[in-house]
Amino acid sequence: MAVAAVHSGGIADHIHPEPQGFIRKYVFSIDHKIIGIQYMITAGIFMLLAGALAEMIRAQLMRANGGFMTPDTFNTVFTMHGSTMVWLVIIPLLTGGFGNLVMPVQIGARDVAFPWLNMIAFWIFPVSGLMLYSSFLMGAPAAGWTEYPPMSLQGAPGTSMWCAAIFLVGVGSTMTGMNFLVTILKMRAPGMTFTRMPLFVWGQFVTAPLLMIATTALGAALAALFVQREFGVPFFDPTKGGSPLLWQHMFWFYSHPAVYIMILPAFGMISEIFPTFGRKPIFGYKMIAFSSCAIAILGFMVWAHHMFTSGMAPQLQLPFMVLTMLIAIPTGVKIFSWMATLWGGVLTFSTAMLYSVGFLALFTLGGITGVFLAAVPFDLHAHGTYFIVAHFHYVIAGGSLMGALAGLYFWFPKMTGRMLNETWGKWSFWLYFIGMNGTFLPMHWLGLWGMPRRIAVYDPQFQTWNQIESVFSLVMTAGIILTFVNVLVSMKRGKKSGHNPWDARTLEWQIPSPMPYYNFKHIPSVFATPYDFAEPLPYRGLEEELTDSPPPVPAAH
Amino acid sequence: MAVASVTQAGIVGRHHEEPDQLYVETRELRVQGFLLFMVSDLVLFSSFIFAYLYLRNTGQGWPPPGAPKLDLALAAINSVILFGSGATMHFALENWKHEKFMKFAGWMVSTIVLGAMFLSGQIVEYGKLAVGWGSSGIFGAGFFTLTGMHGFHVFCGIIYLTILLLQAAQGKYTFQKYTGLTLGTLYWHFVDVIWVVLFSIFYLI
Amino acid sequence: MNETLAHVERILAFAGGIVVLFVAAVALKNDWKAKGLENQVFKMMLALLALGAFLAILASVNVLAGKGVEI
């Protein structure tokens, strides 16, 4: 074919031989699809652990004077819950997991740019997760996931282990970021220009440099904390000329972009799901793509809005406040684009769609409270209260995690060739949605009333609402468990999905499910965005993908 | 062309090899990936440089009380040695491009020797300062952390270049396909250029 | 003894710095027209190398000397 001739001999026609044997196929695999699933399984296991820790927190907060565990244990529990969810669940799930599974196929490539690096990056992740949990054996970290000095300097020996483990996770993330960036820059199929890339690819494309740059900055902060704890190098010790504020600068310079690492891929996912289930082109393709870039760039300039109460010059507060509020503009552009996409569409409320709509509602709420917190006067009042907890759980549990669950229900047929059970899926959505709101909505007013976060006991007047929250947290957990059960059962018994159950238009749906190791028999060429539902598919060269013709021959070496 | 390669080939014969499409594309990927690695390494250095400058400007004035004096003359000669190694590295790659193996090897060896001289100079300087990493306050937090990190990079670079030289001698690279040597040169220049910044912030301001 | 050593070091640094500055400038001039991503980076690095050599020359004659150094 003419199409194949364009690329003959190049990297697009370079195919790894089919992996043989269990180990090469499923354990030390260099196939991006398997690695993506490995990320998801590992992140799923850590999510169960983090969920158990969350339920322990809620059990403690059932009563105003606690009693379920000691305050010290409580500190370690919420610290580990936060650290696990951020570094071992959400980030690996959205970048390493879905990014690996879908992104290379969506750009029409056979694999990522550096498959071996991809495998190494994955294997760093469970190892560092185990390291993090091994800190329980030596006295777990207890200063919250932000580990502010001086508390983290006085923490148990496990705090150093925490530094090392998070540093390692960061090394893996950096590798993934470099790998994805090069992949998207260099390995797109012919005709796949930047303005024809699916929006999920845009999400990964903007996330990759954030992963690469921000995570390395965090690595520096962790290394500094580690050497101060272990060798007494006084970066953060004011009695020897150091500064605890330095940690906050270094930490938030990473962790604010990290918030966007956790949300931009989810933006990409629901940008795929809305057009598919609304049968309508995405509204404002370029605006969605470029607003992601704006968010990423602004994200590096706003870190100090986490530090309004840490003592900062008032003339610095204003620019940080304004820049933070500016982020609401590109985010608002996205939200209105999605609403316009749904408007007038023929909507099918599958589970993936339900989760996406839930994402839209809850993320918007979390985003709006974010604008509240950007305002210095309000932040001075709400900082360190449950209002903060409510805000970031709406963004992360209501945004990122809902997005990941939407992606799971959407792409599960592509991973396994089987459908997830839709009835259970809808139950899981409603349980999760109701439980999530019941757990975190009351935290808004609890925070405004002055209930401080990260404290094991609290004023008795808050007890009723806390009990309501604890009950709803069980509902939320039930929703998550139902999804886990659904995955386990449907993997073997789900009904066969065929190659394209949703009638979706991006490239991964045009090849068989589960995807073959070579992805495409012929690399397709692309001549439009995938979202014009009135038009035929914008690809050439895909005729043989679903036929019985022999697979392509691996390159001889 | 092919004849010239054989006479200049050094230890092992090196045949002429036209770069194919796969090589050209893989080369682009590797160069780009390596540049991104350098960017993230740069961020690592930048973070510590930020930390140093932050501590320097928020404390009770600089130099902090009790900090040892740095030796500017030693640092100047040591810097020139390292920058010189950047120049010799440049000559090494240029000679490889012009298919002169022996000259390439000579310049590589000088680069490695200059790198080792720089490291020895660093060790001498550490010895003269005669204070510990943890006990020297924020002076040590800035100075030893950053120069130590840089020294580690130089150390890794010496090993890296040695491996490249051995591989080149064994015929792993041809005069047409030498991505690995390009990457090694990039790395060594990176280590040099970082030192320009470190030299300025520790000795010149 | 120590002062003599420092003197020698300064002279060497001055002379070496001029050589490196010259070499880097010539290399930069020769590479000026080279294309390709890595060559752009090489040019940038050669320029910074020249800057470094220049700074080292200034340091060797004490034009630039930081707060924490012994002159």
Side-chain angles (χ1 to χ4, degrees), chain A residues 9 11 114 178 186 213 216-217 220 227 231-235 241-242 245, chain B residues 21-22 25 28-29 32 37 40 43 47-48 54 133-134 137-138 141:
Chain A
I11 202 152
F114 309 108
M178 294 192 291
K186 282 284 161 193
I213 294 170
T216 318
V227 294
F231 306 112
V233 184
F235 282 101
L245 270 183
Chain B
Q21 186 67 20
L22 179 64
E25 289 182 13
E28 270 182 41
L29 292 185
Q32 225 169 55
F37 155 72
S40 70
V43 173
S47 303
F48 277 109
Y54 184 90
W133 187 19
I138 50 169

PDB file of all heavy atoms in Angstrom, chain A residues 9 11 114 178 186 213 216-217 220 227 231-235 241-242 245, chain B residues 21-22 25 28-29 32 37 40 43 47-48 54 133-134 137-138 141:
ATOM      1  N   GLY A   9      10.722   0.904   6.541  1.00  0.00           N
ATOM      2  CA  GLY A   9      12.076   0.905   7.071  1.00  0.00           C
ATOM      3  C   GLY A   9      12.241   1.788   8.288  1.00  0.00           C
ATOM      4  O   GLY A   9      13.208   1.673   9.009  1.00  0.00           O
ATOM      5  N   ILE A  11      10.948   3.758  12.023  1.00  0.00           N
ATOM      6  CA  ILE A  11      10.638   3.203  13.330  1.00  0.00           C
ATOM      7  C   ILE A  11       9.190   2.767  13.414  1.00  0.00           C
ATOM      8  O   ILE A  11       8.833   1.881  14.183  1.00  0.00           O
ATOM      9  CB  ILE A  11      10.985   4.216  14.432  1.00  0.00           C
ATOM     10  CG1 ILE A  11      11.178   3.494  15.740  1.00  0.00           C
ATOM     11  CG2 ILE A  11       9.935   5.299  14.539  1.00  0.00           C
ATOM     12  CD1 ILE A  11      12.109   4.194  16.650  1.00  0.00           C
ATOM     13  N   PHE A 114      10.598   4.633  24.122  1.00  0.00           N
ATOM     14  CA  PHE A 114      11.627   3.846  24.814  1.00  0.00           C
ATOM     15  C   PHE A 114      10.952   2.740  25.625  1.00  0.00           C
ATOM     16  O   PHE A 114      10.727   2.902  26.830  1.00  0.00           O
ATOM     17  CB  PHE A 114      12.472   4.732  25.722  1.00  0.00           C
ATOM     18  CG  PHE A 114      13.023   5.943  25.037  1.00  0.00           C
ATOM     19  CD1 PHE A 114      12.528   7.202  25.310  1.00  0.00           C
ATOM     20  CD2 PHE A 114      14.034   5.820  24.103  1.00  0.00           C
ATOM     21  CE1 PHE A 114      13.023   8.319  24.676  1.00  0.00           C
ATOM     22  CE2 PHE A 114      14.543   6.935  23.457  1.00  0.00           C
ATOM     23  CZ  PHE A 114      14.033   8.184  23.735  1.00  0.00           C
ATOM     24  N   MET A 178       9.362  11.798  30.276  1.00  0.00           N
ATOM     25  CA  MET A 178      10.268  11.941  29.127  1.00  0.00           C
ATOM     26  C   MET A 178       9.828  11.042  27.986  1.00  0.00           C
ATOM     27  O   MET A 178       9.781  11.446  26.824  1.00  0.00           O
ATOM     28  CB  MET A 178      11.685  11.538  29.544  1.00  0.00           C
ATOM     29  CG  MET A 178      12.294  12.450  30.562  1.00  0.00           C
ATOM     30  SD  MET A 178      14.039  12.162  30.775  1.00  0.00           S
ATOM     31  CE  MET A 178      14.081  10.586  31.538  1.00  0.00           C
ATOM     32  N   LYS A 186       7.394  12.604  18.415  1.00  0.00           N
ATOM     33  CA  LYS A 186       8.101  11.999  17.286  1.00  0.00           C
ATOM     34  C   LYS A 186       7.378  10.825  16.637  1.00  0.00           C
ATOM     35  O   LYS A 186       7.758  10.409  15.557  1.00  0.00           O
ATOM     36  CB  LYS A 186       9.468  11.497  17.774  1.00  0.00           C
ATOM     37  CG  LYS A 186      10.481  12.592  17.938  1.00  0.00           C
ATOM     38  CD  LYS A 186      11.005  13.036  16.606  1.00  0.00           C
ATOM     39  CE  LYS A 186      11.637  14.404  16.734  1.00  0.00           C
ATOM     40  NZ  LYS A 186      11.901  15.022  15.450  1.00  0.00           N
ATOM     41  N   ILE A 213       9.414  17.919  34.905  1.00  0.00           N
ATOM     42  CA  ILE A 213      10.057  19.064  35.553  1.00  0.00           C
ATOM     43  C   ILE A 213       9.678  19.141  37.027  1.00  0.00           C
ATOM     44  O   ILE A 213      10.538  19.204  37.901  1.00  0.00           O
ATOM     45  CB  ILE A 213       9.672  20.358  34.811  1.00  0.00           C
ATOM     46  CG1 ILE A 213      10.263  20.318  33.415  1.00  0.00           C
ATOM     47  CG2 ILE A 213      10.169  21.564  35.568  1.00  0.00           C
ATOM     48  CD1 ILE A 213       9.771  21.404  32.519  1.00  0.00           C
ATOM     49  N   THR A 216      11.083  16.328  39.336  1.00  0.00           N
ATOM     50  CA  THR A 216      12.501  16.455  39.654  1.00  0.00           C
ATOM     51  C   THR A 216      12.712  17.482  40.752  1.00  0.00           C
ATOM     52  O   THR A 216      13.560  17.299  41.635  1.00  0.00           O
ATOM     53  CB  THR A 216      13.281  16.864  38.404  1.00  0.00           C
ATOM     54  OG1 THR A 216      12.776  16.127  37.310  1.00  0.00           O
ATOM     55  CG2 THR A 216      14.731  16.568  38.568  1.00  0.00           C
ATOM     56  N   ALA A 217      11.927  18.587  40.695  1.00  0.00           N
ATOM     57  CA  ALA A 217      12.050  19.588  41.755  1.00  0.00           C
ATOM     58  C   ALA A 217      11.668  18.993  43.099  1.00  0.00           C
ATOM     59  O   ALA A 217      12.311  19.261  44.120  1.00  0.00           O
ATOM     60  CB  ALA A 217      11.164  20.790  41.423  1.00  0.00           C
ATOM     61  N   ALA A 220      14.531  17.058  44.526  1.00  0.00           N
ATOM     62  CA  ALA A 220      15.516  17.883  45.224  1.00  0.00           C
ATOM     63  C   ALA A 220      15.062  18.164  46.652  1.00  0.00           C
ATOM     64  O   ALA A 220      15.848  18.040  47.602  1.00  0.00           O
ATOM     65  CB  ALA A 220      15.720  19.194  44.463  1.00  0.00           C
ATOM     66  N   VAL A 227      18.774  14.389  53.674  1.00  0.00           N
ATOM     67  CA  VAL A 227      20.128  14.624  54.194  1.00  0.00           C
ATOM     68  C   VAL A 227      20.080  15.434  55.482  1.00  0.00           C
ATOM     69  O   VAL A 227      20.936  15.276  56.342  1.00  0.00           O
ATOM     70  CB  VAL A 227      21.071  15.290  53.165  1.00  0.00           C
ATOM     71  CG1 VAL A 227      21.323  14.375  52.008  1.00  0.00           C
ATOM     72  CG2 VAL A 227      20.559  16.621  52.715  1.00  0.00           C
ATOM     73  N   PHE A 231      21.983  13.322  57.977  1.00  0.00           N
ATOM     74  CA  PHE A 231      23.347  13.821  58.146  1.00  0.00           C
ATOM     75  C   PHE A 231      23.394  15.182  58.817  1.00  0.00           C
ATOM     76  O   PHE A 231      24.460  15.767  58.953  1.00  0.00           O
ATOM     77  CB  PHE A 231      24.050  13.895  56.782  1.00  0.00           C
ATOM     78  CG  PHE A 231      24.014  12.603  56.019  1.00  0.00           C
ATOM     79  CD1 PHE A 231      23.275  12.490  54.862  1.00  0.00           C
ATOM     80  CD2 PHE A 231      24.704  11.489  56.481  1.00  0.00           C
ATOM     81  CE1 PHE A 231      23.228  11.294  54.161  1.00  0.00           C
ATOM     82  CE2 PHE A 231      24.658  10.295  55.787  1.00  0.00           C
ATOM     83  CZ  PHE A 231      23.917  10.194  54.629  1.00  0.00           C
ATOM     84  N   GLY A 232      22.230  15.732  59.173  1.00  0.00           N
ATOM     85  CA  GLY A 232      22.221  17.000  59.884  1.00  0.00           C
ATOM     86  C   GLY A 232      22.600  18.194  59.038  1.00  0.00           C
ATOM     87  O   GLY A 232      23.064  19.203  59.570  1.00  0.00           O
ATOM     88  N   VAL A 233      22.426  18.113  57.723  1.00  0.00           N
ATOM     89  CA  VAL A 233      22.704  19.280  56.877  1.00  0.00           C
ATOM     90  C   VAL A 233      21.530  20.249  57.019  1.00  0.00           C
ATOM     91  O   VAL A 233      20.420  19.919  56.648  1.00  0.00           O
ATOM     92  CB  VAL A 233      22.861  18.856  55.408  1.00  0.00           C
ATOM     93  CG1 VAL A 233      23.244  20.053  54.558  1.00  0.00           C
ATOM     94  CG2 VAL A 233      23.900  17.771  55.294  1.00  0.00           C
ATOM     95  N   PRO A 234      21.768  21.455  57.571  1.00  0.00           N
ATOM     96  CA  PRO A 234      20.639  22.222  58.101  1.00  0.00           C
ATOM     97  C   PRO A 234      19.881  23.056  57.067  1.00  0.00           C
ATOM     98  O   PRO A 234      19.796  24.258  57.186  1.00  0.00           O
ATOM     99  CB  PRO A 234      21.319  23.132  59.125  1.00  0.00           C
ATOM    100  CG  PRO A 234      22.663  23.354  58.535  1.00  0.00           C
ATOM    101  CD  PRO A 234      23.051  22.109  57.807  1.00  0.00           C
ATOM    102  N   PHE A 235      19.323  22.416  56.047  1.00  0.00           N
ATOM    103  CA  PHE A 235      18.531  23.175  55.086  1.00  0.00           C
ATOM    104  C   PHE A 235      17.344  23.862  55.755  1.00  0.00           C
ATOM    105  O   PHE A 235      17.013  24.996  55.451  1.00  0.00           O
ATOM    106  CB  PHE A 235      17.989  22.248  53.985  1.00  0.00           C
ATOM    107  CG  PHE A 235      18.997  21.886  52.953  1.00  0.00           C
ATOM    108  CD1 PHE A 235      19.630  20.654  52.977  1.00  0.00           C
ATOM    109  CD2 PHE A 235      19.309  22.774  51.944  1.00  0.00           C
ATOM    110  CE1 PHE A 235      20.547  20.321  52.014  1.00  0.00           C
ATOM    111  CE2 PHE A 235      20.227  22.447  50.977  1.00  0.00           C
ATOM    112  CZ  PHE A 235      20.852  21.215  51.007  1.00  0.00           C
ATOM    113  N   GLY A 241      20.626  28.570  60.663  1.00  0.00           N
ATOM    114  CA  GLY A 241      20.615  29.408  59.463  1.00  0.00           C
ATOM    115  C   GLY A 241      19.713  28.897  58.362  1.00  0.00           C
ATOM    116  O   GLY A 241      19.543  29.549  57.345  1.00  0.00           O
ATOM    117  N   GLY A 242      19.140  27.692  58.536  1.00  0.00           N
ATOM    118  CA  GLY A 242      18.230  27.167  57.525  1.00  0.00           C
ATOM    119  C   GLY A 242      16.857  27.809  57.631  1.00  0.00           C
ATOM    120  O   GLY A 242      16.649  28.738  58.408  1.00  0.00           O
ATOM    121  N   LEU A 245      10.604  27.552  55.755  1.00  0.00           N
ATOM    122  CA  LEU A 245       9.831  28.031  54.604  1.00  0.00           C
ATOM    123  C   LEU A 245      10.406  27.524  53.286  1.00  0.00           C
ATOM    124  O   LEU A 245       9.687  27.369  52.315  1.00  0.00           O
ATOM    125  CB  LEU A 245       9.829  29.559  54.582  1.00  0.00           C
ATOM    126  CG  LEU A 245       8.704  30.255  55.326  1.00  0.00           C
ATOM    127  CD1 LEU A 245       8.824  31.749  55.117  1.00  0.00           C
ATOM    128  CD2 LEU A 245       7.367  29.773  54.821  1.00  0.00           C
TER     129      LEU A 245
ATOM    130  N   GLN B  21      16.834   4.373   7.383  1.00  0.00           N
ATOM    131  CA  GLN B  21      15.713   5.134   7.919  1.00  0.00           C
ATOM    132  C   GLN B  21      15.507   4.844   9.408  1.00  0.00           C
ATOM    133  O   GLN B  21      15.308   5.754  10.214  1.00  0.00           O
ATOM    134  CB  GLN B  21      14.450   4.773   7.124  1.00  0.00           C
ATOM    135  CG  GLN B  21      13.245   5.600   7.477  1.00  0.00           C
ATOM    136  CD  GLN B  21      13.422   7.045   7.065  1.00  0.00           C
ATOM    137  OE1 GLN B  21      14.242   7.363   6.217  1.00  0.00           O
ATOM    138  NE2 GLN B  21      12.661   7.926   7.694  1.00  0.00           N
ATOM    139  N   LEU B  22      15.601   3.560   9.789  1.00  0.00           N
ATOM    140  CA  LEU B  22      15.391   3.198  11.197  1.00  0.00           C
ATOM    141  C   LEU B  22      16.414   3.896  12.074  1.00  0.00           C
ATOM    142  O   LEU B  22      16.089   4.458  13.123  1.00  0.00           O
ATOM    143  CB  LEU B  22      15.482   1.677  11.371  1.00  0.00           C
ATOM    144  CG  LEU B  22      15.294   1.206  12.801  1.00  0.00           C
ATOM    145  CD1 LEU B  22      13.900   1.517  13.299  1.00  0.00           C
ATOM    146  CD2 LEU B  22      15.578  -0.278  12.930  1.00  0.00           C
ATOM    147  N   GLU B  25      15.674   7.700  12.420  1.00  0.00           N
ATOM    148  CA  GLU B  25      14.553   8.014  13.317  1.00  0.00           C
ATOM    149  C   GLU B  25      14.885   7.672  14.765  1.00  0.00           C
ATOM    150  O   GLU B  25      14.564   8.435  15.675  1.00  0.00           O
ATOM    151  CB  GLU B  25      13.297   7.272  12.854  1.00  0.00           C
ATOM    152  CG  GLU B  25      12.754   7.851  11.559  1.00  0.00           C
ATOM    153  CD  GLU B  25      11.486   7.181  11.099  1.00  0.00           C
ATOM    154  OE1 GLU B  25      10.880   6.428  11.890  1.00  0.00           O
ATOM    155  OE2 GLU B  25      11.100   7.410   9.940  1.00  0.00           O
ATOM    156  N   GLU B  28      16.985  10.372  16.299  1.00  0.00           N
ATOM    157  CA  GLU B  28      16.226  11.541  16.738  1.00  0.00           C
ATOM    158  C   GLU B  28      15.576  11.295  18.093  1.00  0.00           C
ATOM    159  O   GLU B  28      15.601  12.150  18.969  1.00  0.00           O
ATOM    160  CB  GLU B  28      15.150  11.877  15.714  1.00  0.00           C
ATOM    161  CG  GLU B  28      15.602  12.841  14.653  1.00  0.00           C
ATOM    162  CD  GLU B  28      14.472  13.166  13.710  1.00  0.00           C
ATOM    163  OE1 GLU B  28      13.344  13.342  14.185  1.00  0.00           O
ATOM    164  OE2 GLU B  28      14.732  13.202  12.498  1.00  0.00           O
ATOM    165  N   LEU B  29      14.979  10.103  18.241  1.00  0.00           N
ATOM    166  CA  LEU B  29      14.344   9.777  19.520  1.00  0.00           C
ATOM    167  C   LEU B  29      15.351   9.829  20.650  1.00  0.00           C
ATOM    168  O   LEU B  29      15.105  10.399  21.706  1.00  0.00           O
ATOM    169  CB  LEU B  29      13.733   8.375  19.486  1.00  0.00           C
ATOM    170  CG  LEU B  29      12.541   8.129  18.588  1.00  0.00           C
ATOM    171  CD1 LEU B  29      12.031   6.723  18.810  1.00  0.00           C
ATOM    172  CD2 LEU B  29      11.446   9.118  18.867  1.00  0.00           C
ATOM    173  N   GLN B  32      16.552  13.366  21.468  1.00  0.00           N
ATOM    174  CA  GLN B  32      15.518  14.129  22.149  1.00  0.00           C
ATOM    175  C   GLN B  32      15.300  13.637  23.583  1.00  0.00           C
ATOM    176  O   GLN B  32      15.198  14.433  24.512  1.00  0.00           O
ATOM    177  CB  GLN B  32      14.215  14.022  21.376  1.00  0.00           C
ATOM    178  CG  GLN B  32      13.555  15.355  21.234  1.00  0.00           C
ATOM    179  CD  GLN B  32      12.419  15.289  20.256  1.00  0.00           C
ATOM    180  OE1 GLN B  32      11.522  14.467  20.410  1.00  0.00           O
ATOM    181  NE2 GLN B  32      12.452  16.131  19.263  1.00  0.00           N
ATOM    182  N   PHE B  37      16.285  14.312  29.452  1.00  0.00           N
ATOM    183  CA  PHE B  37      16.953  13.895  30.683  1.00  0.00           C
ATOM    184  C   PHE B  37      17.804  15.037  31.221  1.00  0.00           C
ATOM    185  O   PHE B  37      17.806  15.324  32.429  1.00  0.00           O
ATOM    186  CB  PHE B  37      17.801  12.648  30.425  1.00  0.00           C
ATOM    187  CG  PHE B  37      18.946  12.479  31.386  1.00  0.00           C
ATOM    188  CD1 PHE B  37      18.709  12.116  32.697  1.00  0.00           C
ATOM    189  CD2 PHE B  37      20.250  12.712  30.981  1.00  0.00           C
ATOM    190  CE1 PHE B  37      19.758  11.983  33.588  1.00  0.00           C
ATOM    191  CE2 PHE B  37      21.298  12.587  31.859  1.00  0.00           C
ATOM    192  CZ  PHE B  37      21.055  12.223  33.170  1.00  0.00           C
ATOM    193  N   SER B  40      15.676  17.583  32.949  1.00  0.00           N
ATOM    194  CA  SER B  40      15.237  17.242  34.303  1.00  0.00           C
ATOM    195  C   SER B  40      16.417  17.292  35.275  1.00  0.00           C
ATOM    196  O   SER B  40      16.256  17.681  36.429  1.00  0.00           O
ATOM    197  CB  SER B  40      14.527  15.893  34.330  1.00  0.00           C
ATOM    198  OG  SER B  40      15.423  14.871  34.107  1.00  0.00           O
ATOM    199  N   VAL B  43      16.805  20.781  36.226  1.00  0.00           N
ATOM    200  CA  VAL B  43      15.827  21.183  37.235  1.00  0.00           C
ATOM    201  C   VAL B  43      16.317  20.777  38.623  1.00  0.00           C
ATOM    202  O   VAL B  43      16.178  21.527  39.597  1.00  0.00           O
ATOM    203  CB  VAL B  43      14.443  20.571  36.940  1.00  0.00           C
ATOM    204  CG1 VAL B  43      13.482  20.861  38.071  1.00  0.00           C
ATOM    205  CG2 VAL B  43      13.897  21.101  35.645  1.00  0.00           C
ATOM    206  N   SER B  47      16.921  23.479  41.508  1.00  0.00           N
ATOM    207  CA  SER B  47      16.228  23.479  42.791  1.00  0.00           C
ATOM    208  C   SER B  47      17.206  23.717  43.925  1.00  0.00           C
ATOM    209  O   SER B  47      16.936  24.500  44.840  1.00  0.00           O
ATOM    210  CB  SER B  47      15.518  22.150  43.020  1.00  0.00           C
ATOM    211  OG  SER B  47      14.638  21.901  41.978  1.00  0.00           O
ATOM    212  N   PHE B  48      18.356  23.036  43.865  1.00  0.00           N
ATOM    213  CA  PHE B  48      19.335  23.221  44.936  1.00  0.00           C
ATOM    214  C   PHE B  48      19.973  24.602  44.852  1.00  0.00           C
ATOM    215  O   PHE B  48      20.306  25.204  45.878  1.00  0.00           O
ATOM    216  CB  PHE B  48      20.399  22.130  44.890  1.00  0.00           C
ATOM    217  CG  PHE B  48      19.945  20.873  45.569  1.00  0.00           C
ATOM    218  CD1 PHE B  48      19.649  19.738  44.842  1.00  0.00           C
ATOM    219  CD2 PHE B  48      19.797  20.826  46.944  1.00  0.00           C
ATOM    220  CE1 PHE B  48      19.214  18.588  45.466  1.00  0.00           C
ATOM    221  CE2 PHE B  48      19.365  19.683  47.576  1.00  0.00           C
ATOM    222  CZ  PHE B  48      19.069  18.560  46.831  1.00  0.00           C
ATOM    223  N   TYR B  54      18.297  31.083  48.319  1.00  0.00           N
ATOM    224  CA  TYR B  54      17.259  31.442  49.285  1.00  0.00           C
ATOM    225  C   TYR B  54      17.851  31.541  50.685  1.00  0.00           C
ATOM    226  O   TYR B  54      17.658  32.530  51.395  1.00  0.00           O
ATOM    227  CB  TYR B  54      16.156  30.386  49.235  1.00  0.00           C
ATOM    228  CG  TYR B  54      14.971  30.677  50.122  1.00  0.00           C
ATOM    229  CD1 TYR B  54      13.895  31.413  49.644  1.00  0.00           C
ATOM    230  CD2 TYR B  54      14.926  30.206  51.431  1.00  0.00           C
ATOM    231  CE1 TYR B  54      12.810  31.695  50.443  1.00  0.00           C
ATOM    232  CE2 TYR B  54      13.840  30.483  52.246  1.00  0.00           C
ATOM    233  CZ  TYR B  54      12.786  31.220  51.751  1.00  0.00           C
ATOM    234  OH  TYR B  54      11.714  31.493  52.550  1.00  0.00           O
ATOM    235  N   TRP B 133      30.070  18.152  56.184  1.00  0.00           N
ATOM    236  CA  TRP B 133      28.858  18.512  55.462  1.00  0.00           C
ATOM    237  C   TRP B 133      27.772  18.957  56.448  1.00  0.00           C
ATOM    238  O   TRP B 133      27.161  20.012  56.307  1.00  0.00           O
ATOM    239  CB  TRP B 133      28.414  17.296  54.673  1.00  0.00           C
ATOM    240  CG  TRP B 133      27.277  17.502  53.721  1.00  0.00           C
ATOM    241  CD1 TRP B 133      26.829  18.688  53.226  1.00  0.00           C
ATOM    242  CD2 TRP B 133      26.469  16.488  53.146  1.00  0.00           C
ATOM    243  NE1 TRP B 133      25.790  18.471  52.356  1.00  0.00           N
ATOM    244  CE2 TRP B 133      25.544  17.129  52.295  1.00  0.00           C
ATOM    245  CE3 TRP B 133      26.444  15.089  53.244  1.00  0.00           C
ATOM    246  CZ2 TRP B 133      24.601  16.409  51.567  1.00  0.00           C
ATOM    247  CZ3 TRP B 133      25.506  14.384  52.520  1.00  0.00           C
ATOM    248  CH2 TRP B 133      24.590  15.035  51.691  1.00  0.00           C
ATOM    249  N   GLY B 134      27.557  18.108  57.472  1.00  0.00           N
ATOM    250  CA  GLY B 134      26.481  18.402  58.390  1.00  0.00           C
ATOM    251  C   GLY B 134      26.844  19.463  59.414  1.00  0.00           C
ATOM    252  O   GLY B 134      25.996  20.169  59.928  1.00  0.00           O
ATOM    253  N   GLY B 137      26.898  24.098  58.833  1.00  0.00           N
ATOM    254  CA  GLY B 137      25.760  25.012  58.726  1.00  0.00           C
ATOM    255  C   GLY B 137      25.265  25.179  57.308  1.00  0.00           C
ATOM    256  O   GLY B 137      25.488  24.309  56.453  1.00  0.00           O
ATOM    257  N   ILE B 138      24.630  26.329  57.047  1.00  0.00           N
ATOM    258  CA  ILE B 138      24.076  26.489  55.708  1.00  0.00           C
ATOM    259  C   ILE B 138      25.166  26.716  54.667  1.00  0.00           C
ATOM    260  O   ILE B 138      24.917  26.541  53.481  1.00  0.00           O
ATOM    261  CB  ILE B 138      23.044  27.644  55.630  1.00  0.00           C
ATOM    262  CG1 ILE B 138      23.598  28.918  56.226  1.00  0.00           C
ATOM    263  CG2 ILE B 138      21.754  27.246  56.278  1.00  0.00           C
ATOM    264  CD1 ILE B 138      22.715  30.098  55.930  1.00  0.00           C
ATOM    265  N   ALA B 141      25.506  23.261  53.558  1.00  0.00           N
ATOM    266  CA  ALA B 141      24.282  22.811  52.902  1.00  0.00           C
ATOM    267  C   ALA B 141      24.270  23.258  51.449  1.00  0.00           C
ATOM    268  O   ALA B 141      23.899  22.512  50.552  1.00  0.00           O
ATOM    269  CB  ALA B 141      23.050  23.361  53.636  1.00  0.00           C
TER     270      ALA B 141
END
